[in-house]
Amino acid sequence: MNKDLILKVENLEIAFKNKNEIINIIRGIDLKVKKGQIVGIVGESGSGKSVTIKSLLNLNGSNAISSANKLQLKEVNLNSLNKKTWSQIRGKRISYIPQDPMTSLNPTRKIKKQLLDTLEKNRKDLKTKKERMKLIIETLNSFGIRNVEKVINQYPHTFSGGMKQRIVVASAVMCKPDLIVADEPTTALDTVVQASVLNLFQQIKEKYDVSIIFISHDIGVIAKLCDFIYVMYAGKILEKGNIKDIFTDPRHPYTWALLSSIPENSKSKDLYAIPGTPPDMRFLSSGCPFAKRNDYAVELDFIKEPPLFHIKNEHYAATWLLHPKAPKVKMPKITTDKIKIFKGVFK
Ligand SMILES: Nc1ncnc2c1ncn2[C@@H]1O[C@H](COP(=O)(O)OP(=O)(O)O)[C@@H](O)[C@H]1O
Ligand SMILES: [Mg+2]
């Protein structure tokens, strides 16, 4: 694998077996994460974002049927791991930050004990408790946590949601993984706290040169943080590109709709909402899964699922509108208005 690449996923497919039924959820996706990159995965709820990244940690549970042509983390072929070797990857090589910090924190142990345990397991290079304590205090300090000595002697329930999430993020960073996967880590927080946790991710990126996959249903959040973006819908990637491609030259009508739904400010009243709802994965029709909700769908979109068409460099979109013989359409004004604003930002 190219040495700048941290993660390479090719043709990932995941289905779930429930009773006598098999439901295909992830339907052949590719992902790449480069060193130091923050990669965003965005899409409405139910599009398969969590299932996708849980497959990088083997966390999808026993009813999941998963396959990939390639699932490579640096030199490690994740496809070939067994139960025991997975436990050496989680935390040490890939850290997982869930939406609810209490999934990661143990309510019955003081923060200090938990962080020391985590480091003992995942940082064998730190030989003594003293070394581990030093790292804990330095990291929490650098995360803007005040009274660190006091804080670490408390139990998790004494903290606000934002503070708990800071501690979970600090714990992930201290383990020096190759990759951090954060699944909607700010979704449960209120707007002000959300902004401060996002800042923290920005800081981590600058200071630690770690690679991050950041998942959100909110493209506004993704905009603030990510270098490269995957737009996901019904278990497929509908568009991918670097942040400038996605925000100033989006090609898929689904991406147009997501961008249109970003509020201009927190007081905006008439927010655009995408009409309809995502499809039921049990009854997926043969065409583009977004066709029914898409004002710009061409006839073929209802019949045959479009491939990812190459636009330029690393920018791709899966819409028949990109076929050379497709009718030329103009995106809606609400989207061109948004793009004008983004173009100003990216100048
Ligand atoms: N263990 C499971 N068994 C069956 N279906 C599941 C399971 N986990 C997730 N799904 C289904 O997979 C789809 C994608 O879920 P998810 O990845 O959680 O979406 P997102 O994170 O994008 O909101 C949903 O339709 C969900 O119902
Ligand atoms: Mg999710």
Side-chain angles (χ1 to χ4, degrees), residues 30-34 37-42 214 219 222-223 225-232 237-252 255 259 308-318 322 346:
D30 296 348
L31 295 172
K32 260 191 216 167
V33 180
K34 293 179 192 162
Q37 208 176 31
I38 303 193
V39 169
I41 305 180
V42 65
F214 192 99
I219 197 167
I222 294 281
L225 197 66
C226 299
D227 307 304
F228 196 87
I229 295 165
Y230 290 87
V231 177
M232 196 164 182
I237 301 302
L238 296 193
E239 183 156 4
K240 60 180 173 182
N242 65 37
I243 182 156
K244 194 175 169 195
D245 296 333
I246 299 294
F247 283 86
T248 66
D249 186 23
R251 298 299 183 95
H252 201 292
T255 314
L259 293 174
L308 274 167
F309 286 95
H310 184 221
I311 300 155
K312 59 176 192 311
N313 305 325
E314 292 184 283
H315 189 191
Y316 293 79
L322 289 172
F346 284 102

Side-chain angles (χ1 to χ4, degrees), residues 185-213:
T186 62
T187 300
L189 307 172
D190 66 51
T191 329
V192 178
V193 184
Q194 195 172 39
S196 77
V197 174
L198 281 179
N199 275 336
L200 197 58
F201 275 94
Q202 195 61 52
Q203 229 177 297
I204 292 168
K205 180 190 163 187
E206 281 154 22
K207 196 163 159 191
Y208 295 90
D209 195 31
V210 62
S211 309
I212 301 173
I213 298 181

Side-chain angles (χ1 to χ4, degrees), residues 9-247:
V9 175
E10 276 174 17
N11 197 27
L12 176 68
E13 296 183 327
I14 303 167
F16 288 99
K17 193 163 188 268
N18 283 334
K19 296 193 190 113
N20 299 321
E21 183 182 49
I22 291 181
I23 310 170
N24 295 315
I25 298 291
I26 304 302
R27 301 178 303 119
I29 69 172
D30 296 348
L31 295 172
K32 260 191 216 167
V33 180
K34 293 179 192 162
K35 188 154 174 48
Q37 208 176 31
I38 303 193
V39 169
I41 305 180
V42 65
E44 285 162 289
S45 175
S47 53
K49 305 180 299 295
S50 296
V51 170
T52 300
I53 60 154
K54 280 184 182 168
S55 72
L56 305 177
L57 298 127
N58 197 30
L59 288 177
N60 271 318
S62 59
N63 67 333
I65 309 162
S66 176
S67 74
N69 294 355
K70 198 185 240 324
L71 206 60
Q72 190 83 21
L73 176 81
K74 290 173 90 174
E75 82 293 354
V76 186
N77 174 4
L78 300 175
N79 260 333
S80 69
L81 300 185
N82 57 33
K83 214 171 170 185
K84 188 160 164 249
T85 33
W86 268 114
S87 69
Q88 289 162 13
I89 296 295
R90 276 187 222 125
K92 214 176 277 176
R93 303 291 304 268
I94 306 182
S95 284
Y96 178 57
I97 300 172
Q99 178 172 330
D100 175 5
M102 284 316 287
T103 317
S104 317
L105 295 171
N106 177 344
T108 68
R109 284 169 76 77
K110 288 181 178 170
I111 297 295
K112 180 161 107 181
K113 290 243 164 63
Q114 299 190 40
L115 293 176
L116 283 171
D117 287 352
T118 304
L119 290 181
E120 199 171 341
K121 176 164 176 273
N122 296 320
R123 286 288 304 267
K124 301 285 183 214
D125 57 315
L126 302 177
K127 300 288 182 230
T128 62
K129 187 174 166 190
K130 199 173 156 200
E131 281 179 282
R132 294 191 276 273
M133 268 322 289
K134 184 165 173 273
L135 178 64
I136 291 171
I137 290 176
E138 274 173 13
T139 312
L140 293 180
N141 266 325
S142 80
F143 274 35
I145 293 174
R146 270 173 253 151
N147 300 325
V148 170
E149 307 272 357
K150 186 172 156 233
V151 162
I152 57 177
N153 277 303
Q154 286 172 248
Y155 289 94
H157 75 262
T158 56
F159 301 121
S160 67
M163 183 72 163
K164 283 180 206 148
Q165 200 56 295
R166 272 168 193 274
I167 292 167
V168 172
V169 177
S171 170
V173 169
M174 278 186 250
C175 296
K176 285 222 289 196
D178 298 303
L179 180 65
I180 294 180
V181 293
D183 191 353
E184 311 243 11
T186 62
T187 300
L189 307 172
D190 66 51
T191 329
V192 178
V193 184
Q194 195 172 39
S196 77
V197 174
L198 281 179
N199 275 336
L200 197 58
F201 275 94
Q202 195 61 52
Q203 229 177 297
I204 292 168
K205 180 190 163 187
E206 281 154 22
K207 196 163 159 191
Y208 295 90
D209 195 31
V210 62
S211 309
I212 301 173
I213 298 181
F214 192 99
I215 287 189
S216 180
H217 66 277
D218 182 346
I219 197 167
V221 166
I222 294 281
K224 296 196 179 91
L225 197 66
C226 299
D227 307 304
F228 196 87
I229 295 165
Y230 290 87
V231 177
M232 196 164 182
Y233 189 79
K236 279 247 170 152
I237 301 302
L238 296 193
E239 183 156 4
K240 60 180 173 182
N242 65 37
I243 182 156
K244 194 175 169 195
D245 296 333
I246 299 294
F247 283 86

